[in-house]
């Protein structure tokens, strides 16, 4: 293997002896200084099941990289648990963790000028944070997913983490017993791995594979299965090859490959959070991509996978049915993705899919054939109107009515809304508005899973709409509109809504409309006063000062 840039820095000249001296204690020998140094930033943590199994993947990656002739070096980045922090102050740290992970990768790489990166990640914000970080570093890099959790079970019913949140609403409505409530709570998460359906973590893992930055078959393997360990070793070998041919992330992340990734999000019914994250990834890679591009992809992409939260199956079912390669092959055959995009293997996407059958297996119902799509267009819609002039995101597949008009029920925080739901004060036909939870106002744009899951548990989500300048969990479904921009904290129109105002949501017209005259809104604006920041110092205060609009990806510059 030819000496690479980093190796030359270490080996050239006696003046580098001090640099070499500090590497002997961490396992280098004189013969190792001609090998590529590969950083392994990872999110192992004993705090959450999503990341608790990562250390074994790190160990296997180290072993495989050494066998392939590289010198692996490891370091950790911070991780936030969306599931554990949901509905608490801790949730405000979730989205900011994405930026910090990207920075940690840049600092770890930049201070040592490594030749390649193998990033291993688990929970939701780990994944885009890794891709943003390696795009900024732009040295050969591969993303490795921690793997998915297997479904839990209670009285013969398959469970995911969202089952526990929905059980809160069902129990408060008297629909389930305490025995079942506690049984679901105890059995929803049976082991290690990310939340088990097509929520944000698996949405991003799937999309990153389609983007070309991870091996196509690896994202939805169960975290505790041996094949996950084997895929890490294979990923390590692929990375060493990428270093040899000098294949960099920005060679892979292009406008066309991002379109491939978003097509996969649409076809799987993935999380609304993918909109935020791919806006940020595109920015990190220097690729032009804006919020209207998601709508362009949605219009030409059917939903082909019957996955939770709105469908029937979980990630391990998707993997067994052929997973990402099978789905991509169907999309490629129908000209919905660009097969000439390069992948981390150095081969094109079409070459990687060459031996995948054109039809999904007939003995499964997870991946639909092209002729039997669940929905004709992607499940995410970008809505605009006088309530959101910059645009907002709605998950519109599976809703029973394409239009919804109702009176506003306004809450200035998620907690105030949740109390009203659990007290049974939300009625069919209401449009629930949760504001001051945006990137700056939250700060951190927390997810509204607790309110939406409580509505599901009470049997209301088909008859109630919810609008917020915050985010939704990938586990949410129904007439939900998030990322409303401009946000309330900076005086966006959502700050001017009053109880009883009529609001219309229209999927087909891509409309979110507040039925209040421009004159009345102007009068309300004159009376509006910006609230005081929730945090005055620390990382959340800094984040609030520098974060962009959700319509730009909530990027911290």
């Amino acid at each position: 293997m030819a000496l690479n840039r980093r190796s030359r820095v270490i080996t050239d000249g006696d003046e580098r002896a001090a640099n070499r001296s500090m590497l002997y204690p961490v396992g280098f020998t004189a013969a190792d200084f001609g090998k590529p140094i590969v950083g392994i930033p990872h999110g192992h943590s004993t705090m959450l099941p999503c990341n608790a199994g990562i250390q074994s993947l790190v160990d296997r990656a180290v072993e495989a990289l050494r066998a392939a002739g590289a010198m692996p070096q490891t370091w950790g980045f911070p991780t936030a648990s969306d599931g554990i922090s949901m509905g608490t102050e801790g949730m405000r740290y979730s989205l900011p963790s994405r930026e910090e992970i990207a920075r940690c990768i840049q600092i770890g790489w930049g201070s040592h000028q490594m030749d390649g990166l193998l990033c291993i990640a688990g929970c939701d914000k780990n994944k885009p944070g890794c891709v943003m970080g390696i795009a900024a570093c732009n040295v050969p890099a591969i993303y490795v997913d921690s793997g998915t959790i297997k479904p839990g079970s209670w009285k013969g019913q398959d469970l995911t983490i969202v089952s526990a949140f929905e059980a809160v609403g069902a129990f408060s409505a008297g629909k389930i017993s305490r025995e079942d409530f506690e049984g679901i709570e105890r059995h929803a998460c049976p082991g290690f791995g990310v939340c088990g359906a097509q929520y944000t973590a698996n949405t991003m893992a799937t999309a990153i594979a389609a983007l070309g930055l991870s091996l196509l078959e690896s994202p939805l393997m169960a975290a505790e299965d041996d094949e996950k360990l084997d895929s890490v070793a294979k990923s390590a070998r692929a990375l060493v090859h990428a270093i040899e041919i000098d294949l960099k992330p920005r060679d892979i992340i292009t406008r066309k490959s991002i379109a491939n990734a978003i097509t996969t999000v649409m076809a799987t019914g993935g999380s609304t959070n993918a909109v935020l994250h791919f806006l940020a990834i595109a920015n990190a890679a220097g690729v032009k991509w804006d919020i209207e591009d998601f709508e362009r992809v949605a219009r030409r992409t059917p939903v082909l996978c019957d996955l939770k939260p709105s469908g029937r199956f979980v990630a391990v079912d998707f993997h067994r049915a052929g997973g990402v390669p099978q789905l991509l092959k169907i999309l490629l055959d129908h000209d919905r993705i660009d097969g000439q995009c390069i992948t981390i293997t150095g081969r094109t996407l079409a070459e990687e899919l060459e031996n995948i059958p054109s039809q999904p297996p007939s003995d499964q119902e997870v991946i639909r054939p092209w002729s039997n799509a669940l929905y004709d267009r992607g499940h995410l819609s970008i809505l605009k109107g006088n309530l959101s002039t910059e645009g907002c995101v709605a998950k519109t597949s599976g809703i029973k009515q394409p239009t919804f008009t109702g009176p506003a029920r306004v809450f200035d925080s998620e907690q105030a809304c949740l109390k009203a739901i659990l007290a049974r004060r939300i009625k069919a036909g209401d449009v629930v508005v949760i504001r001051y939870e945006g990137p700056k106002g939250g700060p951190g744009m927390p997810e509204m899973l607790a309110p939406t899951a409580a509505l599901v548990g009470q049997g209301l989500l088909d008859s109630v709409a919810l609008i917020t300048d915050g985010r939704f969990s990938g586990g949410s479904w129904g007439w939900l509109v998030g990322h409303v921009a401009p946000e309330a904290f900076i005086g966006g129109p959502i700050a001017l809504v009053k109880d009883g105002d009529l609001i219309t949501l229209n999927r087909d017209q891509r409309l979110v409309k507040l039925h209040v005259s421009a004159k009345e809104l102007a009068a309300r604006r004159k009376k509006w006063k910006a609230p005081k920041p929730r945090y005055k110092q620390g990382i959340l205060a800094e984040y609030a000062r520098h974060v962009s609009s959700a319509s730009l990806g909530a990027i911290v510059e």
Side-chain angles (χ1 to χ4, degrees):
M1 181 183 298
L3 293 181
N4 47 69
R5 177 169 59 88
R6 173 58 183 163
S7 298
R8 283 197 295 272
V9 170
I10 292 176
T11 57
D12 283 352
D14 294 337
E15 68 276 11
R16 295 297 179 186
N19 303 72
R20 295 195 296 270
S21 293
M22 295 194 71
L23 291 171
Y24 286 111
V26 296
F28 277 71
T29 67
D32 293 328
F33 292 124
K35 299 175 181 178
I37 299 177
V38 174
I40 308 177
H42 64 87
H44 176 74
S45 169
T46 59
M47 186 64 200
L48 62 161
C50 315
N51 292 47
I54 287 178
Q55 188 59 52
S56 62
L57 304 181
V58 174
D59 295 341
R60 186 65 177 272
V62 167
E63 175 187 306
L65 286 166
R66 287 185 181 276
M71 286 302 292
Q73 301 296 301
T74 71
W75 75 92
F77 53 72
T79 181
S81 170
D82 287 17
I84 295 172
S85 65
M86 195 72 67
T88 74
E89 282 296 295
M91 190 66 207
R92 304 191 190 284
Y93 291 83
S94 171
L95 189 57
S97 77
R98 183 189 73 180
E99 317 302 311
E100 295 310 309
I101 290 166
R103 291 177 180 181
C104 284
I105 289 171
Q106 292 175 67
I107 291 170
W109 165 80
S111 59
H112 298 101
Q113 295 294 294
M114 295 170 177
D115 301 297
L117 293 166
L118 187 152
C119 300
I120 308 178
C123 198
D124 298 7
K125 308 312 174 295
N126 291 193
K127 302 164 194 259
C130 282
V131 177
M132 291 161 64
I134 64 179
C137 297
N138 202 35
V139 293
I142 192 167
Y143 169 80
V144 176
D145 199 75
S146 67
T148 187
I149 199 170
K150 295 178 180 179
S153 180
W154 176 249
K155 294 185 176 179
Q157 176 187 358
D158 280 351
L159 304 174
T160 70
I161 183 58
V162 173
S163 305
F165 284 95
E166 292 177 355
V168 174
F171 182 65
S172 71
K175 294 187 173 185
I176 61 173
S177 66
R178 175 163 289 279
E179 177 196 8
D180 288 335
F181 173 62
E182 293 179 352
I184 292 169
E185 177 188 18
R186 290 195 305 271
H187 294 88
C189 296
F192 292 163
V194 304
C195 297
Q198 202 66 355
Y199 309 147
T200 303
N202 283 326
T203 294
M204 292 306 298
T206 300
I208 294 168
L211 185 69
L213 277 177
S214 69
L215 301 181
L216 296 186
E217 71 275 11
S218 66
L220 302 177
M221 294 176 178
E224 297 180 305
D225 286 354
D226 288 342
E227 67 172 352
K228 182 75 255 185
L229 287 169
D230 293 339
S231 78
V232 175
K234 186 176 178 182
S235 297
R237 293 190 291 271
L239 174 61
V240 171
H241 176 62
I243 294 171
E244 291 174 344
I245 64 175
D246 198 28
L247 177 61
K248 298 182 177 71
R250 293 194 187 192
D251 300 326
I252 295 171
I253 306 173
T254 65
R255 184 169 170 82
K256 290 180 178 179
S257 69
I258 290 177
N260 287 348
I262 299 305
T263 298
T264 309
V265 172
M266 298 296 175
T268 58
S271 169
T272 53
N273 284 307
V275 174
L276 276 181
H277 297 329
F278 272 95
L279 287 168
I281 288 168
N283 178 75
V287 175
K288 183 181 179 182
W289 188 270
D290 63 39
I291 194 168
E292 284 295 334
D293 287 318
F294 295 94
E295 182 64 28
R296 175 179 58 82
V297 174
R299 285 197 299 267
R300 65 190 304 269
T301 308
V303 179
L304 294 173
C305 297
D306 190 2
L307 295 169
K308 290 180 181 294
S310 59
R312 294 180 292 163
F313 299 102
V314 295
V316 290
D317 300 322
F318 184 23
H319 179 61
R320 283 194 291 263
V324 176
Q326 180 64 80
L327 175 63
L328 289 176
K329 180 68 169 185
I330 298 170
L331 294 168
L332 178 65
D333 284 351
H334 291 86
D335 197 29
R336 292 307 190 269
I337 60 173
D338 190 324
Q340 295 310 303
C341 290
I342 199 74
T343 73
I344 188 60
T345 65
R347 289 156 47 90
T348 66
L349 189 58
E351 288 172 333
E352 289 294 310
L353 298 171
E354 187 176 5
N355 296 321
I356 303 297
S358 294
Q359 293 294 325
S362 59
D363 61 348
Q364 56 81 44
E365 297 180 346
V366 187
I367 306 174
R368 298 285 192 96
W370 186 264
S371 59
N372 189 30
L374 276 170
Y375 307 103
D376 292 336
R377 62 150 282 159
H379 66 302
L380 300 182
S381 297
I382 305 300
L383 309 183
K384 289 186 176 181
N386 68 341
L387 191 52
S388 182
T389 55
E390 293 179 13
C392 51
V393 184
K395 186 184 285 189
T396 53
S397 66
I399 58 173
K400 293 186 176 180
Q401 43 189 331
T403 63
F404 193 107
T405 298
R409 296 293 310 279
V410 183
F411 302 92
D412 287 346
S413 70
E414 176 191 10
Q415 286 300 320
C417 177
L418 182 60
K419 288 179 181 178
I421 293 170
L422 296 179
R424 312 298 300 276
R425 295 202 301 269
I426 302 300
K427 306 300 181 185
D430 286 344
V431 178
V432 177
V433 177
I434 305 177
R435 62 191 181 191
Y436 297 107
E437 298 285 15
K440 291 180 179 294
M445 210 178 174
E447 294 178 352
M448 304 292 125
L449 179 58
T452 59
L455 288 170
V456 171
Q458 292 184 2
L460 282 174
L461 210 53
D462 283 332
S463 57
V464 169
L466 196 153
I467 299 175
T468 181
D469 53 8
R471 297 182 293 127
F472 290 112
S473 163
S476 297
W477 57 275
W479 238 132
L480 308 177
V481 180
H483 311 190
V484 170
E487 62 175 289
F489 188 80
I490 63 170
I494 192 172
L496 309 178
V497 182
K498 293 183 177 181
D499 275 334
D501 288 346
L502 283 182
I503 295 174
T504 290
L505 309 174
N506 189 308
R507 179 192 64 193
D508 299 335
Q509 294 181 11
R510 297 176 51 212
L511 177 69
V512 53
K513 180 179 180 180
L514 176 63
H515 292 271
V516 175
S517 70
K519 181 178 180 180
E520 172 61 19
L521 287 177
R524 293 182 187 181
R525 184 174 298 283
K526 287 182 179 180
K527 296 179 181 179
W528 177 81
K529 293 182 179 180
K532 293 180 180 179
R534 282 192 170 102
Y535 293 84
K536 295 182 180 180
Q537 61 184 17
I539 190 171
L540 292 183
E542 178 187 358
Y543 181 86
R545 286 194 294 269
H546 296 286
V547 69
S548 75
S549 169
S551 64
L552 299 175
I555 300 161
V556 173
E557 297 288 2

